[in-house]
Amino acid sequence: MAEGRVRGAVYNVPMHEERREFQRLNLSPPIPGSLGTTAVSILEVGVLGARVHHAEPMDNSAADLRFSLEDEEIGLRCEVVRTTPGANAKYPDSGFESGLRFLAAMGESGDRLRNMLGELVTAELARRRAPAMEKLGPIIDGDNTVRGVDAAYLCYRFDGGAWQRRRVFLPEQPPIGFTVARAEDSQEMQRLCRIYQASDDEGRRLIRLFAELSVSDVLEIPPTVPS
């Protein structure tokens, strides 16, 4: 359904530190959309912001980003935090790239954004499925993982060849493992731990991003405003 979109995950801080920043996904091919009246291609997206390409300079520092995937319309109020020449700046018509910070999600767009990211990550994990995962069954049950049942965070840390689970007050992501917004342990979380063990570095990054979606849901990131 969303196959072919994900090219990888981008981190904002070194992996040895515990993180509260939310990751973004590089999209291939990009998703077309609009930022205000400007046509854009979304190169990278997460729950906090995006990176877009556009042919013409932008006049405003704030605008609404609108796009759709699988017939789901998504609208996000944005602040333009930086604009640079496009990646192929040596060519005269390569356009510009802008970094966006999401200020609010309009209507149901926050949930739709999380669902979209969950589908993209799930499709990529299925594509990257290693032989060691074959006996684990379906890759991830998105409905059971993306949605946290309340605001209690659980940190799953893989240390010394064994998993340690503990409640935490802050949804920080450990260097090896992941943190989710779940009040109780479940078979789904145990299976996610096994999938994490069987994954390569990029697969583990994708699992962390998947876990972060439940955290962003509880924290209401981005906040919701009427459409």
Side-chain angles (χ1 to χ4, degrees):
M1 176 164 52
E3 292 180 3
R5 285 282 181 192
V6 179
R7 190 168 60 219
V10 174
Y11 280 78
N12 299 321
V13 297
M15 286 300 299
H16 65 273
E17 300 177 8
E18 293 213 352
R19 309 169 34 259
R20 279 184 241 176
E21 291 82 358
F22 291 88
Q23 306 169 71
R24 296 179 183 177
L25 285 178
N26 288 324
L27 302 175
S28 181
I31 297 176
S34 62
L35 186 64
T37 59
T38 303
V40 299
S41 295
I42 304 172
L43 307 176
E44 182 181 278
V45 67
V47 294
L48 288 182
R51 181 168 58 91
V52 300
H53 178 271
H54 45 102
E56 302 294 332
M58 293 187 191
D59 297 328
N60 300 319
S61 60
D64 292 345
L65 176 67
R66 296 182 182 273
F67 62 96
S68 63
L69 190 67
E70 302 290 338
D71 297 324
E72 292 283 339
E73 297 289 335
I74 297 175
L76 300 154
R77 292 186 178 165
C78 303
E79 175 188 13
V80 180
V81 295
R82 72 181 65 83
T83 297
T84 60
N88 296 319
K90 60 182 179 181
Y91 299 106
D93 297 322
S94 60
F96 305 87
E97 290 185 9
S98 291
L100 309 178
R101 179 182 295 117
F102 296 156
L103 303 178
M106 291 177 278
E108 299 179 0
S109 293
D111 288 339
R112 292 173 179 174
L113 177 65
R114 273 183 287 273
N115 291 340
M116 182 196 80
L117 289 169
E119 289 183 6
L120 292 173
V121 172
T122 301
E124 177 66 5
L125 286 171
R127 188 188 70 79
R128 301 172 61 87
R129 194 179 183 94
M133 298 182 194
E134 293 299 329
K135 60 184 179 182
L136 299 180
I139 190 74
I140 286 177
D141 183 345
D143 290 337
N144 288 339
T145 307
V146 173
R147 297 292 176 205
V149 295
D150 59 29
Y153 302 108
L154 288 176
C155 179
Y156 292 82
R157 183 187 294 268
F158 191 56
D159 188 18
W163 284 98
Q164 298 178 358
R165 178 176 66 90
R166 61 188 178 95
R167 293 180 180 270
V168 292
F169 290 102
L170 298 175
E172 297 175 335
Q173 295 295 327
I176 304 179
F178 53 89
T179 297
V180 294
R182 295 295 297 267
E184 298 178 0
D185 198 0
S186 67
Q187 291 184 353
E188 178 66 17
M189 292 297 102
Q190 294 172 21
R191 189 162 62 84
L192 199 62
C193 288
R194 295 196 297 271
I195 293 171
Y196 183 95
Q197 284 181 250
S199 297
D200 60 11
D201 288 344
E202 186 62 21
R204 292 181 176 189
R205 292 176 183 180
L206 292 170
I207 289 172
R208 275 197 204 93
L209 189 151
F210 204 92
E212 288 171 349
L213 297 179
S214 69
V215 172
S216 72
D217 186 30
V218 168
L219 296 178
E220 297 184 0
I221 297 174
T224 300
V225 296
S227 57

